[in-house]
Amino acid sequence: MAHFGQDSDLRRDELIRVIEHSLQLLTAAELEALYYDMLTKDYIRQ
């Protein structure tokens, strides 16, 4: 089962890279809208 953990870690890293790249393409207004949406859904905690 150690293999499954490694695969899920690799997938997680890949998803983070894709999300980071996508975020870099957003405007400040789009980032603020995304931030607000994530904050209200409790995905981001301050």
Side-chain angles (χ1 to χ4, degrees), residues 18-34:
V18 169
I19 291 168
E20 285 177 339
H21 176 74
S22 298
L23 289 174
Q24 291 173 355
L25 303 175
L26 296 178
T27 66
E30 291 169 328
L31 283 170
E32 284 188 36
L34 180 60

PDB file of all heavy atoms in Angstrom, residues 18-34:
ATOM      1  N   VAL A  18      -0.650  22.693 -11.391  1.00  0.00           N
ATOM      2  CA  VAL A  18      -1.646  23.152 -12.357  1.00  0.00           C
ATOM      3  C   VAL A  18      -2.421  24.344 -11.800  1.00  0.00           C
ATOM      4  O   VAL A  18      -2.635  25.345 -12.495  1.00  0.00           O
ATOM      5  CB  VAL A  18      -2.612  22.004 -12.736  1.00  0.00           C
ATOM      6  CG1 VAL A  18      -3.802  22.519 -13.531  1.00  0.00           C
ATOM      7  CG2 VAL A  18      -1.875  20.932 -13.517  1.00  0.00           C
ATOM      8  N   ILE A  19      -2.804  24.263 -10.538  1.00  0.00           N
ATOM      9  CA  ILE A  19      -3.549  25.359  -9.909  1.00  0.00           C
ATOM     10  C   ILE A  19      -2.680  26.608  -9.815  1.00  0.00           C
ATOM     11  O   ILE A  19      -3.142  27.712 -10.129  1.00  0.00           O
ATOM     12  CB  ILE A  19      -4.087  24.922  -8.528  1.00  0.00           C
ATOM     13  CG1 ILE A  19      -5.191  23.872  -8.707  1.00  0.00           C
ATOM     14  CG2 ILE A  19      -4.594  26.120  -7.738  1.00  0.00           C
ATOM     15  CD1 ILE A  19      -5.595  23.173  -7.435  1.00  0.00           C
ATOM     16  N   GLU A  20      -1.424  26.447  -9.407  1.00  0.00           N
ATOM     17  CA  GLU A  20      -0.522  27.597  -9.313  1.00  0.00           C
ATOM     18  C   GLU A  20      -0.355  28.276 -10.668  1.00  0.00           C
ATOM     19  O   GLU A  20      -0.385  29.504 -10.770  1.00  0.00           O
ATOM     20  CB  GLU A  20       0.843  27.176  -8.774  1.00  0.00           C
ATOM     21  CG  GLU A  20       0.846  26.900  -7.294  1.00  0.00           C
ATOM     22  CD  GLU A  20       2.195  26.404  -6.793  1.00  0.00           C
ATOM     23  OE1 GLU A  20       3.015  25.894  -7.608  1.00  0.00           O
ATOM     24  OE2 GLU A  20       2.428  26.511  -5.577  1.00  0.00           O
ATOM     25  N   HIS A  21      -0.185  27.481 -11.706  1.00  0.00           N
ATOM     26  CA  HIS A  21      -0.038  28.043 -13.050  1.00  0.00           C
ATOM     27  C   HIS A  21      -1.295  28.800 -13.462  1.00  0.00           C
ATOM     28  O   HIS A  21      -1.220  29.906 -14.004  1.00  0.00           O
ATOM     29  CB  HIS A  21       0.274  26.943 -14.063  1.00  0.00           C
ATOM     30  CG  HIS A  21       0.338  27.437 -15.467  1.00  0.00           C
ATOM     31  ND1 HIS A  21       1.401  28.174 -15.946  1.00  0.00           N
ATOM     32  CD2 HIS A  21      -0.531  27.317 -16.494  1.00  0.00           C
ATOM     33  CE1 HIS A  21       1.172  28.489 -17.207  1.00  0.00           C
ATOM     34  NE2 HIS A  21       0.017  27.980 -17.561  1.00  0.00           N
ATOM     35  N   SER A  22      -2.435  28.215 -13.194  1.00  0.00           N
ATOM     36  CA  SER A  22      -3.708  28.855 -13.548  1.00  0.00           C
ATOM     37  C   SER A  22      -3.908  30.158 -12.791  1.00  0.00           C
ATOM     38  O   SER A  22      -4.390  31.150 -13.346  1.00  0.00           O
ATOM     39  CB  SER A  22      -4.874  27.909 -13.262  1.00  0.00           C
ATOM     40  OG  SER A  22      -4.751  26.749 -14.050  1.00  0.00           O
ATOM     41  N   LEU A  23      -3.523  30.187 -11.523  1.00  0.00           N
ATOM     42  CA  LEU A  23      -3.661  31.399 -10.716  1.00  0.00           C
ATOM     43  C   LEU A  23      -2.807  32.536 -11.259  1.00  0.00           C
ATOM     44  O   LEU A  23      -3.198  33.702 -11.215  1.00  0.00           O
ATOM     45  CB  LEU A  23      -3.283  31.121  -9.260  1.00  0.00           C
ATOM     46  CG  LEU A  23      -4.256  30.264  -8.460  1.00  0.00           C
ATOM     47  CD1 LEU A  23      -3.680  29.959  -7.087  1.00  0.00           C
ATOM     48  CD2 LEU A  23      -5.611  30.915  -8.354  1.00  0.00           C
ATOM     49  N   GLN A  24      -1.644  32.194 -11.787  1.00  0.00           N
ATOM     50  CA  GLN A  24      -0.754  33.216 -12.326  1.00  0.00           C
ATOM     51  C   GLN A  24      -1.364  33.924 -13.533  1.00  0.00           C
ATOM     52  O   GLN A  24      -0.987  35.048 -13.847  1.00  0.00           O
ATOM     53  CB  GLN A  24       0.588  32.598 -12.707  1.00  0.00           C
ATOM     54  CG  GLN A  24       1.393  32.149 -11.513  1.00  0.00           C
ATOM     55  CD  GLN A  24       2.642  31.394 -11.899  1.00  0.00           C
ATOM     56  OE1 GLN A  24       2.887  31.115 -13.068  1.00  0.00           O
ATOM     57  NE2 GLN A  24       3.447  31.046 -10.902  1.00  0.00           N
ATOM     58  N   LEU A  25      -2.311  33.299 -14.196  1.00  0.00           N
ATOM     59  CA  LEU A  25      -2.933  33.871 -15.389  1.00  0.00           C
ATOM     60  C   LEU A  25      -4.127  34.766 -15.064  1.00  0.00           C
ATOM     61  O   LEU A  25      -4.616  35.479 -15.938  1.00  0.00           O
ATOM     62  CB  LEU A  25      -3.372  32.751 -16.346  1.00  0.00           C
ATOM     63  CG  LEU A  25      -2.262  31.798 -16.807  1.00  0.00           C
ATOM     64  CD1 LEU A  25      -2.853  30.677 -17.652  1.00  0.00           C
ATOM     65  CD2 LEU A  25      -1.170  32.541 -17.551  1.00  0.00           C
ATOM     66  N   LEU A  26      -4.592  34.747 -13.819  1.00  0.00           N
ATOM     67  CA  LEU A  26      -5.773  35.516 -13.438  1.00  0.00           C
ATOM     68  C   LEU A  26      -5.420  36.980 -13.177  1.00  0.00           C
ATOM     69  O   LEU A  26      -4.311  37.299 -12.742  1.00  0.00           O
ATOM     70  CB  LEU A  26      -6.414  34.922 -12.183  1.00  0.00           C
ATOM     71  CG  LEU A  26      -6.980  33.506 -12.293  1.00  0.00           C
ATOM     72  CD1 LEU A  26      -7.520  33.068 -10.937  1.00  0.00           C
ATOM     73  CD2 LEU A  26      -8.039  33.404 -13.356  1.00  0.00           C
ATOM     74  N   THR A  27      -6.386  37.844 -13.425  1.00  0.00           N
ATOM     75  CA  THR A  27      -6.218  39.257 -13.094  1.00  0.00           C
ATOM     76  C   THR A  27      -6.425  39.437 -11.593  1.00  0.00           C
ATOM     77  O   THR A  27      -6.921  38.528 -10.903  1.00  0.00           O
ATOM     78  CB  THR A  27      -7.249  40.120 -13.836  1.00  0.00           C
ATOM     79  OG1 THR A  27      -8.557  39.782 -13.349  1.00  0.00           O
ATOM     80  CG2 THR A  27      -7.184  39.914 -15.338  1.00  0.00           C
ATOM     81  N   ALA A  28      -6.082  40.617 -11.093  1.00  0.00           N
ATOM     82  CA  ALA A  28      -6.272  40.903  -9.669  1.00  0.00           C
ATOM     83  C   ALA A  28      -7.748  40.800  -9.301  1.00  0.00           C
ATOM     84  O   ALA A  28      -8.098  40.246  -8.249  1.00  0.00           O
ATOM     85  CB  ALA A  28      -5.730  42.287  -9.327  1.00  0.00           C
ATOM     86  N   ALA A  29      -8.630  41.293 -10.163  1.00  0.00           N
ATOM     87  CA  ALA A  29     -10.071  41.230  -9.881  1.00  0.00           C
ATOM     88  C   ALA A  29     -10.550  39.775  -9.844  1.00  0.00           C
ATOM     89  O   ALA A  29     -11.365  39.404  -8.989  1.00  0.00           O
ATOM     90  CB  ALA A  29     -10.845  42.019 -10.934  1.00  0.00           C
ATOM     91  N   GLU A  30     -10.051  38.961 -10.748  1.00  0.00           N
ATOM     92  CA  GLU A  30     -10.432  37.541 -10.757  1.00  0.00           C
ATOM     93  C   GLU A  30      -9.918  36.832  -9.512  1.00  0.00           C
ATOM     94  O   GLU A  30     -10.618  35.990  -8.927  1.00  0.00           O
ATOM     95  CB  GLU A  30      -9.898  36.855 -12.017  1.00  0.00           C
ATOM     96  CG  GLU A  30     -10.582  37.310 -13.291  1.00  0.00           C
ATOM     97  CD  GLU A  30      -9.874  36.839 -14.541  1.00  0.00           C
ATOM     98  OE1 GLU A  30      -8.634  36.696 -14.530  1.00  0.00           O
ATOM     99  OE2 GLU A  30     -10.577  36.616 -15.546  1.00  0.00           O
ATOM    100  N   LEU A  31      -8.700  37.167  -9.092  1.00  0.00           N
ATOM    101  CA  LEU A  31      -8.144  36.580  -7.874  1.00  0.00           C
ATOM    102  C   LEU A  31      -8.953  36.982  -6.650  1.00  0.00           C
ATOM    103  O   LEU A  31      -9.210  36.162  -5.763  1.00  0.00           O
ATOM    104  CB  LEU A  31      -6.686  37.000  -7.684  1.00  0.00           C
ATOM    105  CG  LEU A  31      -5.667  36.274  -8.548  1.00  0.00           C
ATOM    106  CD1 LEU A  31      -4.311  36.944  -8.439  1.00  0.00           C
ATOM    107  CD2 LEU A  31      -5.581  34.810  -8.163  1.00  0.00           C
ATOM    108  N   GLU A  32      -9.366  38.249  -6.591  1.00  0.00           N
ATOM    109  CA  GLU A  32     -10.177  38.698  -5.464  1.00  0.00           C
ATOM    110  C   GLU A  32     -11.516  37.973  -5.433  1.00  0.00           C
ATOM    111  O   GLU A  32     -11.986  37.575  -4.357  1.00  0.00           O
ATOM    112  CB  GLU A  32     -10.391  40.202  -5.552  1.00  0.00           C
ATOM    113  CG  GLU A  32      -9.167  40.989  -5.148  1.00  0.00           C
ATOM    114  CD  GLU A  32      -9.444  42.483  -5.054  1.00  0.00           C
ATOM    115  OE1 GLU A  32     -10.553  42.867  -4.639  1.00  0.00           O
ATOM    116  OE2 GLU A  32      -8.528  43.252  -5.399  1.00  0.00           O
ATOM    117  N   ALA A  33     -12.127  37.791  -6.596  1.00  0.00           N
ATOM    118  CA  ALA A  33     -13.403  37.073  -6.665  1.00  0.00           C
ATOM    119  C   ALA A  33     -13.227  35.623  -6.222  1.00  0.00           C
ATOM    120  O   ALA A  33     -14.046  35.092  -5.463  1.00  0.00           O
ATOM    121  CB  ALA A  33     -13.970  37.138  -8.081  1.00  0.00           C
ATOM    122  N   LEU A  34     -12.168  34.990  -6.674  1.00  0.00           N
ATOM    123  CA  LEU A  34     -11.882  33.610  -6.280  1.00  0.00           C
ATOM    124  C   LEU A  34     -11.618  33.519  -4.782  1.00  0.00           C
ATOM    125  O   LEU A  34     -12.121  32.621  -4.100  1.00  0.00           O
ATOM    126  CB  LEU A  34     -10.685  33.081  -7.066  1.00  0.00           C
ATOM    127  CG  LEU A  34     -10.254  31.655  -6.774  1.00  0.00           C
ATOM    128  CD1 LEU A  34     -11.371  30.667  -7.069  1.00  0.00           C
ATOM    129  CD2 LEU A  34      -9.006  31.319  -7.565  1.00  0.00           C
TER     130      LEU A  34
END
